[in-house]
Every structure is written in C-alpha cells, then in structure tokens.
C-alpha cells in the first residue's frame, strides 16, 4: 500500500508538471481566495478535510488549485476566475481499475503496471458548457510512465481529444 501511495504521488506530480505546462504553484492563504470560489468549494465539498489552497500561474493564466481529502477519494479542483472548473478524483477502488484494465487499449503495454487512475471532469459554473469527463491511467511501461486516456465507455481517447475538452 505504501508503494502504491508513493507511485500515486509521483505520477500525480509528473502529470501536474506536464499538464499544467510546468506551472508555478504557491501556497495561498484562505483569506486571499475570493469569497465566490470559497463559497462554491465549501458548498460543493461539505466533507472536505486537509484543504490546501494554492495559486497557479499556468503560462500567464491565473488558477487556484484546491487539494483535499474526502471519505471516498483524494481530490484536486482547479478553478479560474471565469467559472471554469476541473475536478480530478484519484480512484482507489479495485473494481474501477479492473474496469479500465479490461479495455483492449492497454494491450499495447504488456506487463505494464497501472500506477494511478483518475477521473477528470471539466465544466463551467455558469452552465456555459456541458460537463465533460475522461479517465486518465498512469501506466509504468518499462522505464517510462505512459498516460492513457479513456472515455466513460472505455474507448481510447487521443491526447488531442483530451486537451480539446478545454472549457471556454
């Protein structure tokens, strides 16, 4: 279990550096977080524990990341001032990993070991866009870590399709 947690943390850090364009993050005191974002967060995630706010400079775009624990999973939420939200849930349940692993899309990584599985959902608080979700699987394939993306029907998604899910 300890090894899995270490791998999960390492994979998450690698992903965050890659997906956020090597964004700079700084701890943000809760008093510096806009009340509208705090209100959304605490009304949506009532049972959140170990809440940590950070400011993220993602290539000139200012984001706020909230990292926290819930009884069912560890989560990250990225928020911007336009009301865009990206929720990332680390999935721990074995049946969910088996569900994704049963996809033929992972056959090209024989002997590959799943390090982490996350469900990512992007949406806009003003209802401008329909929520869009996908699964991200971190697979250790030899010496490299590969990220594979699936939709809810276990269909493989290309990196281009995933990154085009951006909420405007």
């Amino acid at each position: 279990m300890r090894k899995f947690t270490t791998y999960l943390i390492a994979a998450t850090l690698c992903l965050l550096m890659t997906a956020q364009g090597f964004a700079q993050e700084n701890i943000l005191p809760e008093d510096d977080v806009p009340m509208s974002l705090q209100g959304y967060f605490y009304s949506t995630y009532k049972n959140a524990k170990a809440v940590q706010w950070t400011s993220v400079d993602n290539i000139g775009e200012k984001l706020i990341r909230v990292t926290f624990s819930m009884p069912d999973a560890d989560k990250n939420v990225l928020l911007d001032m336009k009301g865009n939200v990206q929720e990332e849930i680390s999935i721990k349940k074995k049946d969910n990993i088996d569900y994704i692993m049963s996809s033929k899309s992972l056959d090209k990584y024989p002997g590959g070991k799943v390090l982490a599985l996350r469900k990512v959902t992007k949406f806009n608080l003003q209802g401008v866009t329909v929520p869009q979700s996908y699964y991200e699987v971190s697979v250790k394939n030899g010496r490299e870590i590969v990220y594979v993306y699936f939709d809810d029907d276990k269909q493989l998604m290309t990196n281009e399709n995933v990154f085009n899910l951006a909420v405007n």
Side-chain angles (χ1 to χ4, degrees), residues 1-10 113 115:
M1 182 66 177
R2 187 178 197 151
K3 249 185 185 179
F4 178 76
T5 303
T6 302
Y7 282 128
L8 180 63
I9 291 169
K113 180 177 179 177
L115 301 177

Side-chain angles (χ1 to χ4, degrees), residues 78-120:
L78 281 168
L79 306 158
D80 70 13
M81 296 304 167
K82 297 180 235 165
N84 296 323
V85 179
Q86 177 173 308
E87 180 183 69
E88 303 166 348
I89 304 170
S90 297
I91 298 174
K92 299 176 182 176
K93 294 180 180 175
K94 176 106 173 78
D95 57 333
N96 289 322
I97 292 174
D98 290 343
Y99 171 79
I100 294 295
M101 289 301 294
S102 68
S103 168
K104 298 291 184 197
S105 302
L106 289 178
D107 287 349
K108 63 179 156 182
Y109 306 110
K113 180 177 179 177
V114 173
L115 301 177
L117 172 63
R118 293 187 319 152
K119 183 171 186 177
V120 179

Side-chain angles (χ1 to χ4, degrees), residues 130-164:
V130 174
Q132 300 175 47
S133 297
Y134 60 91
Y135 290 91
E136 174 191 271
V137 184
S138 306
V139 179
K140 183 169 185 181
N141 187 38
R143 296 184 120 166
E144 68 178 335
I145 295 176
V146 179
Y147 297 96
V148 184
Y149 304 97
F150 297 93
D151 64 17
D152 285 328
D153 296 323
K154 293 196 297 184
Q155 299 301 309
L156 184 66
M157 298 175 69
T158 65
N159 287 356
E160 182 179 334
N161 288 347
V162 171
F163 295 113
N164 283 338

